[in-house]
Amino acid sequence: MTDERVVLLTGGTGGAKLAAGMAQALPEGALTAIANTGDDIEIYGAYVSPDPDLVCFWLGGLIDERGWGLRGDTFAVMDGLRALGRDVWFNLGDRDLAWCMERSRMLADGATHGEALAALGGHIGLSARVLPMCEQPVRTWVSAGEDSDPIPFQEYMIRRRAVGPVHDVQFRGARQARPSEEVLRALKGASAIVIGPSNPIVSIGPILAVPGMREALAASPAPVVAVSPIVGGEVLKGPTADFMSHAGLPLSAAGVARCYEPLLDGIVADEPVGGLQLRQTDTAMPDAGARLRLAREVIAFARSLG
Amino acid sequence: MTDERVVLLTGGTGGAKLAAGMAQALPEGALTAIANTGDDIEIYGAYVSPDPDLVCFWLGGLIDERGWGLRGDTFAVMDGLRALGRDVWFNLGDRDLAWCMERSRMLADGATHGEALAALGGHIGLSARVLPMCEQPVRTWVSAGEDSDPIPFQEYMIRRRAVGPVHDVQFRGARQARPSEEVLRALKGASAIVIGPSNPIVSIGPILAVPGMREALAASPAPVVAVSPIVGGEVLKGPTADFMSHAGLPLSAAGVARCYEPLLDGIVADEPVGGLQLRQTDTAMPDAGARLRLAREVIAFARSLG
């Protein structure tokens, strides 16, 4: 296919790894990632956008081996805050902070989130586009564990260490949101749409909760393929099990497929799924080779459904 | 004197050095510094207050030998911003940034500037109090050099490298300001008031421009003594000459005295001054010994006038 334009819906780690593989598998400029902004947080006078940034850092080959943040980053500012008595629960490296501060400045100067992210991405030489799912503030709040008051997602993940069970998930502000023009154009012009192996409820969920997003996926002529985040029957990272359980879905590729119904034309998973086109393959991405191999398989599978 | 309470009006370097000497010369808690906030700037999502901070860093023994910022600080965030294409004209170390970010957070949480500075000072073990001259925003703008549009003080100092001549000085917002309760109490209860060896026009000037400040100095029973910033006929740091010239004042201790008329009961200088009680002594402060010696002389001189 000469004019391949793949759109990837993604949250953090799993989807970001697949994005890195896809960027390698595809011609320059052929990949557009639409990233969850429900985890965004304003802290330290900066605008932090964890999922879009993780995708950028993976795409730019800058991700640290700890799995978040910039490789080799230092933490002098966080150390400085701790020395001043601050409870530093949200850790951010110095260059990561600079990245987020620069986004804040651009936003204050009137840039859209999409424009700010594009400018930041340009400075690290990204060849793929990363788009925030929308320009309006959508914030994921979670009620979980013993204290069932809803709290912002990052506090649940970091302060509460994602202790379940999950009682409620809210995408605050979602009703007032809408996909940006760039997002709609990317979906409309896509030759394939891939839902990355991210948490279906709290990573992909906010994206699909933006009014008009499901409709835009359904209206796109492109086949829609999901990649199951469940590997060997388990979730490799994050609290997906608690959220699937809360949603009444089994922790399986079939459960993931059900979550995205009726959007999917096919699914990529390492286990059988009934009633849907399936590419059964090893979905683990422990290294660059595995990411590239899976990306190629996902793209070929989507192409076969087009 | 058993109940000595010395109040020091101060800008940056010169006054801050004398503050360090005075804190050593006086019993714990006997020194209150009232610092110029006309150079304050909001940048990098943080509230930077150069003169009060410089005084704190000098008092805490944390000043870097470059003359500003924290000793041994790193600059990872500024490097990160430069890597993202930002024109970093205002340099701030990582721990210095943390200090200013923490102040921003406290201000956003409803603290006064004075409370925030007291909390920060507590974390570096300050025994002297440092008070912002007022709680209202007063900003020094300068028109100088070939382009005579007024610009904020830090831009004039750093971006324009303080190139003269000075055409105009404005203390924007001063008319709406007033000394805080803490400042008024400190002045009222002082046994001596010292105007530090800082730029009379743009460091001490904003403090005296706060409506009610001159009156509070005049009403205090304490003798008011200035320390001339002119050492050996020259200004050791900063663009004092251009500002004195703009104000029509000679670059001499007599010029400094005239600037503070009629507030002064005496002056400490290394050159003769007519018509005023004078302590003529070496006013250079190249090291801790010199700072302590000058501080003791200033305090003894003020005491002799009380």
Side-chain angles (χ1 to χ4, degrees):
Chain A
M1 227 182 254
T2 53
D3 196 21
E4 200 145 37
R5 294 173 310 280
V6 176
V7 172
L8 173 71
L9 272 54
T10 179
T13 303
K17 283 185 182 180
L18 184 60
M22 283 184 157
Q24 222 187 321
L26 291 165
E28 193 168 322
L31 176 66
T32 299
I34 297 174
N36 167 42
T37 56
D39 305 353
D40 289 8
I41 178 171
E42 286 177 77
I43 192 167
Y44 311 129
Y47 188 99
V48 186
S49 196
D51 283 357
D53 289 353
L54 206 58
V55 175
C56 287
F57 298 168
W58 269 103
L59 284 170
L62 298 173
I63 192 80
D64 192 90
E65 57 187 25
R66 82 180 86 82
W68 57 270
L70 290 160
R71 195 168 50 231
D73 209 350
T74 50
F75 291 83
V77 174
M78 298 299 119
D79 289 345
L81 287 172
R82 281 190 198 93
L84 295 170
R86 175 119 172 224
D87 167 26
V88 176
W89 63 272
F90 191 87
N91 213 1
L92 202 61
D94 296 319
R95 282 186 297 126
D96 205 341
L97 176 61
W99 172 279
C100 296
M101 280 166 43
E102 189 56 1
R103 169 171 32 227
S104 288
R105 188 192 62 76
M106 288 187 273
L107 294 177
D109 285 354
T112 65
H113 285 230
E115 288 165 350
L117 199 56
L120 291 169
H123 282 292
I124 58 170
L126 291 197
S127 63
R129 282 200 306 168
V130 183
L131 301 178
M133 65 191 194
C134 62
E135 289 292 332
Q136 297 77 18
V138 175
R139 296 291 173 269
T140 302
W141 285 59
V142 176
S143 142
E146 295 197 353
D147 179 1
S148 61
D149 284 341
I151 51 174
F153 185 74
Q154 295 294 347
E155 294 190 31
Y156 152 77
M157 280 294 285
I158 300 172
R159 287 190 139 155
R160 298 273 188 86
R161 294 166 193 275
V163 171
V166 169
H167 311 300
D168 193 21
V169 181
Q170 303 164 1
F171 305 129
R172 297 191 176 179
R175 249 172 293 176
Q176 284 74 47
R178 59 182 192 282
S180 65
E181 281 306 311
E182 291 75 20
V183 163
L184 290 175
R185 254 203 308 275
L187 289 171
K188 195 173 178 186
S191 56
I193 298 171
V194 177
I195 301 180
S198 298
N199 185 321
I201 312 294
V202 287
S203 297
I204 304 298
I207 304 177
L208 297 178
V210 174
M213 190 71 79
R214 280 179 172 266
E215 291 78 358
L217 262 79
S220 172
V224 178
V225 168
V227 180
S228 172
I230 294 157
V231 176
E234 290 181 354
V235 178
L236 296 182
K237 195 166 180 297
T240 302
D242 284 334
F243 285 98
M244 293 294 276
S245 165
H246 164 69
L249 294 167
L251 190 66
S252 65
V256 173
R258 243 211 277 161
C259 188
Y260 298 139
E261 261 174 4
L263 293 172
L264 297 188
D265 295 299
I267 190 164
V268 177
D270 65 1
E271 57 181 335
V273 183
L276 197 64
Q277 293 285 339
L278 167 72
R279 173 69 59 106
Q280 194 171 338
T281 186
D282 180 7
T283 49
M285 293 181 283
D287 53 42
R291 292 193 289 274
L292 180 58
R293 187 200 55 74
L294 180 61
R296 282 184 172 146
E297 265 200 89
V298 170
I299 293 164
F301 176 55
R303 195 180 292 160
S304 76
L305 302 174
Chain B
M1 228 182 257
T2 53
D3 196 20
E4 199 146 38
R5 294 173 310 280
V6 177
V7 172
L8 174 72
L9 272 53
T10 179
T13 303
K17 283 186 182 180
L18 184 61
M22 283 184 156
Q24 222 187 321
L26 290 165
E28 194 167 322
L31 176 66
T32 298
I34 298 174
N36 167 42
T37 57
D39 305 352
D40 289 9
I41 177 171
E42 287 177 78
I43 192 167
Y44 311 130
Y47 188 99
V48 186
S49 196
D51 282 357
D53 290 353
L54 205 58
V55 174
C56 287
F57 297 168
W58 269 104
L59 284 170
L62 298 172
I63 193 79
D64 192 89
E65 58 187 26
R66 83 180 86 81
W68 57 270
L70 290 159
R71 195 169 49 232
D73 209 351
T74 50
F75 291 84
V77 174
M78 298 300 119
D79 289 345
L81 287 173
R82 280 190 198 95
L84 295 170
R86 175 120 171 223
D87 167 26
V88 176
W89 63 272
F90 191 88
N91 214 1
L92 202 60
D94 296 320
R95 281 187 296 126
D96 205 342
L97 176 62
W99 172 279
C100 296
M101 280 167 43
E102 190 56 1
R103 169 169 35 225
S104 289
R105 188 192 62 76
M106 289 186 273
L107 294 177
D109 285 354
T112 66
H113 284 231
E115 288 164 352
L117 198 57
L120 291 170
H123 282 292
I124 59 170
L126 290 198
S127 64
R129 284 200 306 167
V130 183
L131 302 177
M133 66 191 195
C134 62
E135 289 291 333
Q136 297 77 18
V138 175
R139 296 292 173 268
T140 302
W141 286 59
V142 176
S143 140
E146 296 197 354
D147 180 359
S148 60
D149 285 340
I151 52 174
F153 185 73
Q154 295 294 346
E155 294 190 31
Y156 152 77
M157 280 293 285
I158 299 172
R159 286 189 138 158
R160 297 274 187 86
R161 295 166 193 274
V163 170
V166 169
H167 310 302
D168 193 22
V169 181
Q170 302 163 4
F171 305 130
R172 297 191 176 180
R175 247 172 293 178
Q176 284 76 46
R178 60 182 190 280
S180 67
E181 280 307 311
E182 290 76 19
V183 163
L184 291 175
R185 254 202 309 276
L187 289 171
K188 195 174 178 184
S191 56
I193 298 172
V194 177
I195 301 180
S198 298
N199 185 321
I201 312 294
V202 287
S203 297
I204 305 298
I207 304 177
L208 297 179
V210 174
M213 190 70 79
R214 281 179 171 266
E215 291 77 359
L217 262 80
S220 173
V224 179
V225 167
V227 180
S228 171
I230 294 156
V231 176
E234 290 182 354
V235 178
L236 296 182
K237 198 169 177 293
T240 302
D242 283 335
F243 285 98
M244 293 293 277
S245 164
H246 164 69
L249 294 166
L251 190 66
S252 65
V256 172
R258 241 209 280 162
C259 187
Y260 298 139
E261 261 172 6
L263 293 171
L264 296 188
D265 296 298
I267 190 164
V268 178
D270 65 1
E271 57 181 334
V273 182
L276 197 65
Q277 293 285 340
L278 168 73
R279 173 69 60 107
Q280 194 170 340
T281 185
D282 180 7
T283 49
M285 292 182 283
D287 53 43
R291 292 193 289 274
L292 180 58
R293 187 200 55 75
L294 180 61
R296 283 185 173 144
E297 266 201 89
V298 170
I299 293 164
F301 176 57
R303 195 180 292 160
S304 75
L305 300 174

